[in-house]
Structure formats: C-alpha cells, structure tokens
Amino acid sequence: MTQDLDLRFKGNFEPEIALMFNQISYDFRSQFNEIVSTLSRSHIDNIDWWVEGPASRNTFASPLFHNLSCLLLVERLIENEIFHFTRVLVDSRALQIILIQLFKIFNIKDCRLIYVRKKLSKKIKSKLALPFLIFQKSIQLLISRLSGKINIKDIKDRQLILVDTFMLQEYTDNDRWYGEFWSHLSTNTKANTYFIPTIVDTPLTKMHKVYKDLRSNDRNFIIKEDFLNFKNIFKTASHFWNIRKMKIEPLIFLNCDISHLVKEELLNNTDKFSVLESLLNFDFVRNLRNQNIEVDLSIDWFEGQVFDKSWSYAFHSFYPKTTIVGYRASHSFSAYLCSFPIPIEHEAKCLPDEIAIQGEGSRKALTEFFPKLGVRIMPSFKSTFVWDFNYKYNSKKNMALITLPISIGMSIEMIKKIHSAKVFLKFDYTNNPFRIKPHPSHNIRLIKEMVRKIDLDIQVTEEKSFSAALNDTAVLLTDASSTCLEALACGIPVIIIPSTIGLSYNPLPDSVPSKIYCNAKTIDDIVLALNFFLHRDILMFEELNKIGQKIRNDFFEPITQKGMNQFLNNNIK
C-alpha cells in the first residue's frame, strides 16, 4: 500500500504527523530566526532583501520556515524509526535536492521523492503576475487621479499623525482595523491625523467609488496614489532584476547547504502584490518628504510583514526624527513568526521605535526573541465591546458560532470536520445550532456557495459585527482567528479546530486556563467539546465568566485618556 508524506507548502498531513510537525516547528522558531539573521547580515541595508519572503518570516506567504521544518520532521521520523513512507511529495526542486542528500546520509532507499509540478495554468499566471500587477496598479493610479487630488497646502506646515491602514470596499465608513480610535481623538488631534490606506481585495471597477468615499469621508485620508507617479510604479520592476543578481552565501543546515532553497524562493515569490505595495510604500514616504510634509508621529499597522518593514525603513530613512509606533491590535499566533520582532530587524531599521499592544498579557510573547524591544500599552480600540458585553446565563442558549480563518483551505477543512460532528450528534434543520461568520476578507456569496457544495445545512450570517454575532452564542468554533481571545474575554468558551494543512496557528496565549477552551484535533474531540460546552450549568457559566474577566484584564486595555496619551506619545527620539 502506498503511503505518502506530503511536504508541499500548505500540503496535508495525517493528524499524528501534523502534531509532530507543529511541535518540531514550534521548537525550531528561535533557530530559524538565527538563520534569517545570518542570511540578512550581508543585505542589512538593502530594501530589496527586506521586502522579500525569506527576510519577512511571514509563514503564511513564505515557505522557508515550512521547508526547513519539513527537513527536521524527516530527520525525526528516521531517527525514531517511524519513517515508513513509500513516497514523499514536494513542490520545491531545491527541497527535493536536499532531501536526496538526507536520504543518502540516512541510507533511505525504498522511498520515491516526487516533485509535483505546477499546473501549466499556474505557471503562466506566475509569469504574467508582475506585468499584470504593474498594469493594474497603473490603472488604479489613473482612477485615483480621476477621483480627485489632495491640496498639498491643506497638510503643509502642520505636525501630522499618519496612520497606516488597509481598506476594503465594504469598510470605507467602518474602521475594521482601528475600531474606536478615531472617535476618541480630540478635535485638535483629529485635524492633524490622517489615515494612509492600502486598498486590497477590491476590483478595479469598484476603485473609483472607494476613492470618492475616502476623499469625502468623516475621517481624514491621504491617498497614497496622490504622492506616486507612473515612474514609481514602473520602477518596481527593477526590484525583480536586482533579486536575480542577489548573492546568497552558502549556509549549512542538517549538513546540507540551504542557500539554493532561499534563492529559489526569491526567484519564485508568489506574493508579488505585497512586494510591489511595499516598494511603493517606500516611494510614498520619500515623495512626502520631498514635498516638505512634516510628520510628528507615524503609526504602522504592525504584523511584521513586508508592508511594515518598508514603512518603518522609509520613515527611519526620510524622517529620522519622527517617532514610529507599531499598532499590534491582537495577540498573535506563535507560528506567525513575522509578528515577533528580532534584533536584526531593529539593526536594519525595519522595525518601529516601539510597538503598542492592547494588554500587558501580550508583552512576554511579543518580546520572546527581542527582550529589549520597546513596548507601550494602548487601549483595545478594536475590541471595546468586551468591556460592555453583558453575557447572561440561559440554559436554552445553544448557538454555536463558527468564525472562519482567512485561509479558504483551512476554512473548508474546518467546516467539513464540524459537519461530521453535526451528523454524529444528529443535529438536523430543527435543532441545528451552527452558524458561520466568514472572515471579513471573504466574499460572502462564495462562502455560501462553498457551504452549499459541501451539502451543509448551516446558515452563513452576513452580520459584520462580531460582538452582535456573539449575543446568542453559547460556544465559538474557530482556528487562527483573533475572535478566539475576544470570545473568551466575554466568558464564552472556545473550541479550537487546528488545521492539518501545514503549520497550525494556535490563537491562544499560554496563560489561558484550559477549562474555558478545548483544542479539538479529531471529530470525537469536537463532539465531546460541543456536548460539554453547549450543556453547561449555571455554576460552570459563573466559573467561565470569572476566567473571562481575568482574560479581559490581561489582554484588553479599556479606553482611557491616559491610554490615549500613551499610544500617541511621540517623545521617544
């Protein structure tokens, strides 16, 4: 019988292998950071390096951490004498070559290494991605010009607060990213505060309306495209030529040279959109400086991605006296490495001066790899509802809310598992407790179609507000979502359904008591957890409520004037 080990990026592991892989990858994080630091040393002043995958440590987009963890997994399986696979699947030529070397070292002969080629359509799409993005960005620039243009005099001779953010067409009047921040600014501070949006997941046909909405908004926006030109856009193409010429020094890992793995990723980056936007971030800040626009405080929506690295790098370069604050709006996943800064990023000027977190409970995790990192506590602007949430006991309250992660693959896997548990528990249309809330970036129509194809009898809510969706919820089911900690802070128990697709993104801090959540790795685990949490009594309700209050105090700072002043403090340079 053929037994496969799927080592492809976002490939699927068997549950036992997934558990081992995630423990190995967790233990490997610090060593991986050292590897990236070593690779980065010779490129420390090169923006072309810092906007690419290997330096980003973004485990959602870059396969480097996954691939090296896979090598460690294979080594562990062989050393423990449990490597019984007849085929190993990879989607990286460089990884295949390294595995051939490892197999020779460990004398593995009865296993085929299979390189799974990309489909022709994906190859063509990859080749055309850059010219398409440049064309698309050029059209977007033209559309922004047709929507109006800022009067430079309106922002000159003022000490501005610039706020990096993202924008979707559905959120021009709703601040999904900064929540209640704007409404708690004083009138004078509002006059000098401008949001700088990067528009994402929005078709060109909707762009004009988005730009018009932003230009006439109650909040202040500076449109980046007003400070960019076609030359800036076309110039981004030179980056990809620079990458081809970039030399990666040999680096030994498990007695094998992994430099070819790094170079392969540089030449085959599938996230060219992020690279292009990051380079334009840099040009935007430089062009601001050339217009003599003064910036008193720069706030970066911080996840440590290439967007953030280029934002900080640009402000350190062109506004060396301006304070840069990273806004980290939620407790991050341990496997999402880019959100945990490392010293080399500070040396390279790719980090904010300080990072603001919304609760003292997140400090230890944030500074795990960089203890000297500057940290400040800010109000939990995005999650103010946890302080007002009035969760009352009701034995008939049995709604199970499913919040989907951003990954469609992970969402499908999670829904299928819940469907199996639903069938086992004999829920039908008369007593079905489940309701799906898509991720804000998802197309609700497509999610509904996906649910229909899987033949699920589960409602997909169009409610945008998570707090409103929580009102009649008895238990939350999710994975890799910030909604997890928010629900717990309201006293609502959570069932985490970890993915077997690549890395698992556990959204919980280590300090959260196990009484209020369940890590459900199997269908049986989901069934037991649903039975336990859906039928809890008043005593258990009160106990979970107390745990929720402790989580709220540790991870969600209430909005106060003192907290506002701490967040907006610009006197650290």
Side-chain angles (χ1 to χ4, degrees):
M1 180 178 172
T2 301
Q3 193 173 3
D4 292 347
L5 177 62
D6 190 351
L7 299 184
R8 290 174 293 179
F9 188 42
K10 300 177 183 175
N12 228 321
F13 291 119
E14 291 298 319
E16 300 82 8
I17 298 297
L19 193 64
M20 183 184 292
F21 176 75
N22 279 292
Q23 186 59 56
I24 287 170
S25 63
Y26 180 85
D27 296 338
F28 176 53
R29 294 175 308 143
S30 185
Q31 186 185 355
F32 178 76
N33 290 337
E34 289 300 320
I35 289 171
V36 171
S37 298
T38 301
L39 289 167
S40 300
R41 180 62 59 189
S42 58
H43 307 290
I44 196 163
D45 297 320
N46 189 347
I47 185 67
D48 287 317
W49 168 254
W50 290 109
V51 298
E52 281 289 339
S56 76
R57 298 183 302 122
N58 179 356
T59 50
F60 278 117
S62 165
L64 184 61
F65 180 67
H66 168 90
N67 286 336
L68 296 184
S69 296
C70 284
L71 293 174
L72 290 170
L73 172 66
V74 170
E75 181 192 51
R76 179 76 58 85
L77 290 168
I78 294 172
E79 288 179 343
N80 291 350
E81 299 182 355
I82 51 176
F83 187 90
H84 305 306
F85 302 95
T86 53
R87 301 197 315 172
V88 174
L89 310 180
V90 297
D91 54 6
S92 159
R93 282 289 191 196
L95 182 63
Q96 183 187 32
I97 291 168
I98 295 171
L99 282 169
I100 289 171
Q101 295 173 41
L102 271 184
F103 281 13
K104 285 182 180 177
I105 292 170
F106 288 105
N107 198 29
I108 300 295
K109 296 179 179 178
D110 299 325
C111 179
R112 291 176 60 205
L113 271 170
I114 298 175
Y115 171 69
V116 182
R117 298 174 183 273
K118 284 182 182 178
K119 292 180 180 178
L120 181 60
S121 58
K122 285 192 174 181
K123 282 185 177 180
I124 294 171
K125 187 177 179 182
S126 177
K127 291 289 185 185
L128 296 177
L130 180 59
F132 174 77
L133 283 170
I134 289 175
F135 171 76
Q136 186 180 49
K137 196 67 192 178
S138 300
I139 298 299
Q140 185 179 337
L141 179 61
L142 185 60
I143 292 170
S144 75
R145 294 281 194 271
L146 295 173
S147 71
K149 195 164 175 31
I150 193 170
N151 186 344
I152 301 293
K153 292 179 182 178
D154 291 342
I155 58 173
K156 270 201 170 179
D157 303 321
R158 293 160 65 178
Q159 295 297 315
L160 300 182
I161 298 172
L162 298 188
V163 185
D164 167 49
T165 190
F166 292 90
M167 186 56 60
L168 293 164
Q169 56 182 316
E170 300 92 350
Y171 286 91
T172 54
D173 294 321
N174 263 319
D175 197 341
R176 174 180 174 259
W177 291 269
Y178 288 83
E180 298 295 317
F181 168 64
W182 178 260
S183 62
H184 283 82
L185 294 176
S186 68
T187 302
N188 288 339
T189 305
K190 279 183 179 178
N192 292 320
T193 301
Y194 286 79
F195 292 90
I196 316 295
T198 297
I199 301 173
V200 294
D201 297 328
T202 302
L204 288 174
T205 54
K206 304 288 185 183
M207 283 285 184
H208 188 266
K209 184 178 186 308
V210 171
Y211 282 122
K212 293 293 281 186
D213 288 347
L214 295 179
R215 293 188 190 279
S216 60
N217 210 279
D218 290 338
R219 290 178 288 154
N220 298 329
F221 286 92
I222 290 177
I223 306 300
K224 273 197 288 192
E225 285 73 18
D226 287 350
F227 291 86
L228 294 171
N229 54 51
F230 290 107
K231 182 180 177 181
N232 295 136
I233 294 172
F234 293 129
K235 192 183 69 175
T236 59
S238 65
H239 160 84
F240 298 94
W241 175 249
N242 295 339
I243 286 299
R244 297 189 74 83
K245 297 187 295 179
M246 186 175 286
K247 185 177 180 182
I248 304 299
E249 298 294 335
L251 184 62
I252 303 302
F253 177 75
L254 298 183
N255 296 316
C256 300
D257 181 11
I258 61 170
S259 62
H260 297 295
L261 200 59
V262 177
K263 189 68 177 185
E264 179 187 63
E265 183 179 338
L266 290 174
L267 297 178
N268 296 278
N269 190 337
T270 57
D271 190 16
K272 290 183 173 65
F273 170 82
S274 295
V275 173
L276 189 143
E277 287 289 348
S278 299
L279 293 169
L280 292 177
N281 260 353
F282 186 82
D283 282 346
F284 163 72
V285 177
R286 174 167 51 194
N287 294 346
L288 266 187
R289 177 77 277 179
N290 290 340
Q291 292 278 1
N292 295 317
I293 306 298
E294 296 298 326
V295 180
D296 196 42
L297 178 66
S298 164
I299 298 173
D300 168 40
W301 170 272
F302 183 84
E303 293 184 36
Q305 293 189 15
V306 293
F307 299 109
D308 309 301
K309 288 177 171 63
S310 69
W311 178 275
S312 291
Y313 190 88
F315 272 98
H316 282 304
S317 299
F318 304 115
Y319 288 91
K321 295 181 180 179
T322 296
T323 296
I324 310 165
V325 175
Y327 172 86
R328 193 175 185 258
S330 59
H331 190 91
S332 194
F333 325 122
S334 59
Y336 190 34
L337 290 182
C338 60
S339 63
F340 300 94
I342 56 177
I344 190 76
E345 293 167 346
H346 173 72
E347 288 181 54
K349 297 182 168 34
C350 289
L351 284 180
D353 298 304
E354 289 186 351
I355 293 179
I357 52 177
Q358 59 180 16
E360 188 62 45
S362 294
R363 184 189 293 267
K364 183 180 177 182
L366 174 66
T367 59
E368 179 179 0
F369 306 116
F370 187 12
K372 294 182 180 180
L373 179 72
V375 181
R376 62 177 66 177
I377 305 299
M378 67 173 179
S380 52
F381 301 114
K382 268 188 89 229
S383 309
T384 53
F385 71 89
V386 302
W387 289 96
D388 305 319
F389 198 82
N390 188 15
Y391 193 57
K392 295 179 180 178
Y393 178 73
N394 183 345
S395 60
K396 295 181 181 179
K397 187 180 285 191
N398 66 348
M399 183 61 69
L401 180 64
I402 304 164
T403 52
L404 299 181
I406 191 169
S407 164
I408 293 294
M410 290 168 67
S411 296
I412 292 172
E413 182 190 13
M414 187 166 73
I415 290 171
K416 285 181 176 179
K417 287 180 180 178
I418 293 169
H419 177 58
S420 297
K422 169 177 166 284
V423 171
F424 185 88
L425 289 167
K426 298 181 180 178
F427 288 127
D428 57 29
Y429 71 94
T430 63
N431 64 348
N432 183 0
F434 298 106
R435 181 175 50 178
I436 293 173
K437 185 180 186 306
H439 188 274
S441 67
H442 290 169
N443 183 310
I444 292 179
R445 182 182 61 79
L446 293 180
I447 296 296
K448 286 182 177 180
E449 180 64 18
M450 179 183 79
V451 168
R452 187 189 66 77
K453 283 183 178 178
I454 299 174
D455 197 25
L456 298 178
D457 183 26
I458 299 179
Q459 176 195 355
V460 178
T461 180
E462 296 190 18
E463 175 60 65
K464 288 183 180 180
S465 167
F466 177 59
S467 59
L470 272 184
N471 281 329
D472 58 353
T473 295
V475 61
L476 178 75
L477 296 94
T478 191
D479 183 35
S481 172
S482 61
T483 60
C484 182
L485 202 57
E486 291 172 333
L488 295 178
C490 296
I492 296 172
V494 171
I495 300 172
I496 299 169
I497 305 175
S499 174
T500 58
I501 300 174
L503 294 165
S504 177
Y505 292 90
N506 186 344
L508 287 186
D510 294 337
S511 60
V512 172
S514 58
K515 284 184 179 180
I516 199 169
Y517 78 94
C518 173
N519 206 350
K521 300 180 181 70
T522 66
I523 307 300
D524 288 345
D525 290 342
I526 298 172
V527 169
L528 288 171
L530 282 168
N531 274 328
F532 183 70
F533 287 131
L534 285 176
H535 303 111
R536 62 189 185 274
D537 58 20
I538 183 69
L539 291 177
M540 185 181 175
F541 169 84
E542 290 175 351
E543 184 179 7
L544 297 189
N545 221 20
K546 286 180 181 177
I547 294 173
Q549 290 172 12
K550 175 73 164 58
I551 292 169
R552 190 185 316 154
N553 289 329
D554 289 347
F555 294 97
F556 298 94
E557 190 76 8
I559 297 180
T560 62
Q561 190 55 53
K562 179 183 176 182
M564 292 293 295
N565 293 341
Q566 277 183 186
F567 179 51
L568 297 174
N569 175 27
N570 64 343
N571 295 317
I572 64 170
K573 279 193 172 179

